[in-house]
Amino acid sequence: MNSLPGRAALLLCRRTAAGGTRPSAGAPWPLAAGPMPSFQWVRVCHSGAKPKRSVSTKKRGYDITRNPHLNKGMAFTFEERLQLGIHGLLPPCFLSQDVQVLRVMKSYETRSNPLDKYILLMTLQDRNEKLFYRLLTSDIEKFMPIVYTPTVGLACQQYGLAFRRPRGLFITIHDRGHIATMLNSWPEENIKAIVVTDGERILGLGDLGSYGMGIPVGKLALYTACGGVGPQQCLPVLLDVGTNNQNLLDDPLYIGLKHRRIRGKEYDELIDEFMQAVTDKYGMDCLIQFEDFANSNAFRILNKYRNQYCTFNDDIQGTASVAVAGILAALRITKNKLLDHTFVFQGAGEAALGIAHLLIMAMAKEGLTKEEAAKRIWMVDSKGLIVKGRSHLNHEKEEFAHDHPHLKTLEEVVHTIKPTAIIGVAAIAGAFTEKIIKDMASFNERPIIFALSNPTSKAECTAEQCYQLTEGRGIFASGSPFNKVVLADGRTFYPGQGNNAYVFPGVALGVIACRVRHITDDVFLTTAEAIADMVTEEHLAEGRLYPPLSNIREVSFKIAVKLVNYAYRHSMASVYPEPKDKEAFVLSHIYSPDYDSFTLDTYSWPQDALTVQDV
């Protein structure tokens, strides 16, 4: 396992569900205590073993226990309870944070429905922020499918019913001219990262209108849990311009604007004003991530703002980075170069075009021209193979239109083109049929099959289908998690999950740390290479094309350090002087879910200085 330097990573051992205390990091188990009990080792990027940070607050009483940033529940000491005026507002019980985690876990395990688990975790986030992130970081692989894909898709569909407490800022088309005022409603001033959506293309679920707020909320939770970006520096935003989802318009319980989407000049003016208002208030180095915008707007918005603001589109650039990382790792199995491969995409939208452009950049590093690289990439959309002479092709698709007879189905395309890799990003469940998978296995010794659509219900094929139909020769990755697959001969594969969470938390941490003003595509290729480099031979042997999700905080930290080095090398950073120790510099920006101490700083003067003067 790749490890962080000692200062940058702290191995915390926690007792498993049986309960108990946690020994100090690095301390030997005392022999007098008897045999060492069963512990679960959890790797956490941490600020090091040091005393609790003491903070002061002017809030008292209920304001403390109702504030998720300050609330520690029953972890408040007796002294803190007296000083903060909350003694009596809590049960007469004193718990460590580890015991609190066990209490939440016990409640969590009683819930079988993923949506119920999601609601429990979001309620915890609303109540006790530090405990929420301590829980997530204790087993990120377990909780990520709940706080993000695939469960977040279901949560967005049910957002109106699951809505408990506002998280984030809802800005509507009717607020044009007043967005700066609306930003003043947000209680935090030091915002470093914003995730914004207009809810038109939520995962593979389509237009969910204002229910799409679940995406920025979930995404920013991963900024903190996976990357260590401070939660109070993050702002989720939903731009509500209406919805074209008739079911929502007819639903009396829908919580968004009940009219069809506003487009054209009014829409563009809203986005312009939003970008200007954000940077006026939070600075030009405030990171703005666009998320789940429809194809008609995603590329247009990205191209318009990418050289003006610190911004990126995760559906285009984040997906591209994680997909290319998986392909680069797969090259260590196929034992050849990118230029030796032919790619067929099921889908020609944001994700497909983003991946294709990053592949072209990667092939250019192997010596190909842009035109030569594009010839190795084929795309299939709803009308079939994209070829020259086909009508109604937009500019983005034209780049990948080749001289070839038109083919209507993906099966025909795969059979005719004979690609080495197929990549599904169109959210068409089952698009990789048995015939397609078997054809891929007949053309290639090690076929690359990426079913990247989210959520799981939209995946082009399952991991089991890929491994079984290719007799274990398929190199598989998916967008949503799949369980391990055991073949009849006993071989076991752990499917690689091409989760964007490998990319955006580390990119955000690095960009925020050195205050990068513009995020280039080179940043995402650098990130892809960094992720691929962290995949070991042992991981590849198990079928993994990505580091285990349990190591994602370590992955994000290494990406951030690499990007900080890159930024200073290419004069992209705004923090000066340049820090000598980049790891320590990045580490200083990482949020810790450990509780702070609210005990007052008490001390005394010398006795003679305290003498009371009398007449």
Side-chain angles (χ1 to χ4, degrees):
M1 179 184 294
N2 296 325
S3 298
L4 292 178
R7 178 174 74 251
L10 188 62
L11 279 173
L12 302 178
C13 56
R14 299 177 185 278
R15 196 183 289 263
T16 55
T21 58
R22 180 184 75 194
S24 300
W29 184 258
L31 296 177
M36 182 180 287
S38 171
F39 287 98
Q40 177 186 6
W41 289 90
V42 182
R43 182 176 296 279
V44 183
C45 288
H46 217 280
S47 54
K50 58 184 179 182
K52 286 183 180 180
R53 184 173 67 113
S54 183
V55 298
S56 61
T57 177
K58 294 182 179 179
K59 295 182 183 295
R60 290 292 183 273
Y62 257 15
D63 286 344
I64 294 286
T65 59
R66 295 296 185 268
N67 187 319
H69 306 313
L70 302 176
N71 184 31
K72 301 197 292 187
M74 286 182 279
F76 283 110
T77 65
F78 183 72
E79 188 177 12
E80 286 175 325
R81 297 181 193 199
L82 289 175
Q83 292 176 355
L84 295 172
I86 58 174
H87 184 49
L89 300 181
L90 296 167
C93 179
F94 305 92
L95 304 178
S96 70
Q97 195 179 42
D98 287 339
V99 173
Q100 288 181 307
V101 168
L102 292 175
R103 286 170 61 89
V104 176
M105 278 301 304
K106 188 169 183 179
S107 177
Y108 180 89
E109 297 297 349
T110 63
R111 289 157 169 79
S112 57
N113 186 308
L115 184 59
D116 290 341
K117 292 181 176 182
Y118 173 87
I119 292 172
L120 181 144
L121 293 178
M122 292 302 103
T123 302
L124 176 62
Q125 186 181 19
D126 289 337
R127 186 176 74 248
N128 185 333
E129 191 172 73
K130 293 247 180 190
L131 183 58
F132 171 75
Y133 286 111
R134 170 61 76 196
L135 181 71
L136 257 59
T137 55
S138 71
D139 193 346
I140 195 69
E141 198 165 11
K142 179 188 185 77
F143 295 112
M144 188 183 292
I146 301 298
V147 297
Y148 203 59
T149 181
T151 305
V152 73
L154 176 62
C156 285
Q157 289 175 303
Q158 303 291 325
Y159 198 78
L161 297 176
F163 186 82
R164 295 291 190 276
R165 176 175 171 172
R167 297 199 66 85
L169 204 58
F170 290 85
I171 298 173
T172 78
I173 192 72
H174 307 311
D175 297 311
R176 281 184 304 146
H178 306 282
I179 294 179
T181 303
M182 295 192 68
L183 290 176
N184 290 332
S185 299
W186 191 249
E188 304 298 334
E189 292 293 328
N190 187 29
I191 298 299
K192 299 294 186 184
I194 291 174
V195 175
V196 57
T197 184
D198 69 355
E200 188 169 5
R201 194 200 63 83
I202 298 299
L203 300 175
L205 303 171
D207 188 347
L208 296 183
S210 69
Y211 285 178
M213 177 58 98
I215 295 295
V217 169
K219 210 85 172 182
L220 287 170
L222 297 186
Y223 266 52
T224 302
C226 301
V229 178
Q232 289 173 269
Q233 297 177 331
C234 298
L235 172 58
V237 175
L238 187 287
L239 299 178
D240 192 345
V241 297
T243 178
N244 291 342
N245 185 328
Q246 195 60 45
N247 290 333
L248 295 181
L249 293 174
D250 295 338
D251 185 355
L253 300 181
Y254 177 57
I255 62 174
L257 294 183
K258 293 193 176 182
H259 57 68
R260 300 190 71 78
R261 284 188 171 271
I262 303 297
R263 302 194 185 277
K265 183 182 178 183
E266 290 178 88
Y267 179 90
D268 290 346
E269 287 175 350
L270 178 75
I271 304 293
D272 277 339
E273 184 187 346
F274 171 73
M275 300 297 284
Q276 188 65 52
V278 164
T279 51
D280 284 349
K281 184 171 178 64
Y282 304 123
M284 291 300 296
D285 54 1
C286 179
L287 172 62
I288 303 170
Q289 177 188 325
F290 287 94
E291 186 71 23
D292 287 351
F293 282 72
N295 292 347
S296 58
N297 289 319
F299 282 103
R300 191 171 60 83
I301 290 173
L302 178 62
N303 292 331
K304 181 176 182 179
Y305 297 121
R306 66 191 307 167
N307 295 319
Q308 299 179 45
Y309 299 96
C310 178
T311 186
F312 73 97
N313 184 304
D314 189 56
D315 304 303
I316 299 172
Q317 296 161 291
T319 300
S321 187
V322 76
V324 171
I327 291 166
L328 294 177
L331 296 181
R332 289 160 56 188
I333 299 174
T334 59
K335 309 294 184 186
N336 53 17
K337 296 183 176 181
L338 267 180
L339 55 81
D340 298 318
H341 287 267
T342 302
F343 300 89
V344 166
F345 285 83
Q346 168 62 32
E350 299 167 45
L353 292 165
I355 297 168
H357 284 125
L358 207 61
L359 281 173
I360 289 174
M361 288 180 62
M363 287 188 217
K365 294 182 76 169
E366 294 185 353
L368 292 184
T369 66
K370 183 177 179 181
E371 293 72 23
E372 290 171 335
K375 289 178 181 178
R376 290 163 167 78
I377 298 171
W378 300 75
M379 293 195 177
V380 179
D381 63 9
S382 59
K383 297 178 182 177
L385 183 65
I386 294 176
V387 295
K388 286 186 176 178
R390 214 186 83 178
S391 61
H392 302 103
L393 288 180
N394 60 31
H395 171 71
E396 287 81 15
K397 291 182 180 181
E398 281 179 350
E399 185 177 354
F400 301 99
H402 306 303
D403 284 317
H404 195 281
H406 182 251
L407 301 172
K408 288 187 177 181
T409 68
L410 182 62
E411 284 189 355
E412 290 179 282
V413 173
V414 170
H415 187 75
T416 305
I417 303 298
K418 295 181 170 52
T420 57
I422 54 175
I423 301 174
V425 283
I428 300 175
F432 294 168
T433 62
E434 180 176 338
K435 182 180 187 309
I436 288 175
I437 297 173
K438 285 185 173 179
D439 277 352
M440 286 293 294
S442 69
F443 308 146
N444 306 285
E445 178 61 29
R446 300 302 303 270
I448 298 173
I449 299 173
F450 282 13
L452 298 182
S453 292
N454 286 315
T456 311
S457 60
K458 300 288 185 178
E460 287 76 13
C461 70
T462 66
E464 186 174 13
Q465 288 168 337
C466 174
Y467 290 125
Q468 287 187 348
L469 294 173
T470 63
E471 299 175 335
R473 292 186 287 116
I475 302 173
F476 179 81
S478 60
S480 289
F482 282 100
N483 293 326
K484 69 179 181 180
V485 176
V486 181
L487 298 183
D489 59 10
R491 284 181 295 166
T492 301
F493 295 95
Y494 296 84
Q497 185 189 354
N499 195 317
N500 290 22
Y502 282 111
V503 175
F504 63 80
V507 169
L509 179 61
V511 165
I512 291 169
C514 62
R515 303 213 309 257
V516 170
R517 289 292 179 89
H518 308 297
I519 305 173
T520 65
D521 284 334
D522 286 326
V523 165
F524 293 97
L525 183 55
T526 299
T527 299
E529 293 167 346
I531 296 169
D533 288 344
M534 283 182 256
V535 180
T536 66
E537 293 301 321
E538 291 77 12
H539 295 151
L540 295 174
E542 294 175 340
R544 299 182 192 267
L545 297 180
Y546 301 94
L549 275 174
S550 56
N551 292 355
I552 199 162
R553 283 174 68 84
E554 181 179 348
V555 171
S556 298
F557 178 83
K558 288 185 174 182
I559 289 171
V561 172
K562 190 164 185 174
L563 291 186
V564 168
N565 277 304
Y566 179 89
Y568 280 103
R569 202 163 55 246
H570 292 84
S571 302
M572 295 167 61
S574 301
V575 175
Y576 291 99
E578 178 180 345
K580 293 181 179 179
D581 188 338
K582 304 297 194 300
E583 289 187 355
F585 173 68
V586 172
L587 196 63
S588 69
H589 289 80
I590 291 179
Y591 169 81
S592 170
D594 290 336
Y595 285 141
D596 296 319
S597 171
F598 292 99
T599 304
L600 296 179
D601 181 18
T602 57
Y603 58 97
S604 183
W605 285 4
Q607 193 62 42
D608 58 344
L610 296 175
T611 302
V612 178
Q613 297 185 21
D614 202 356
V615 292

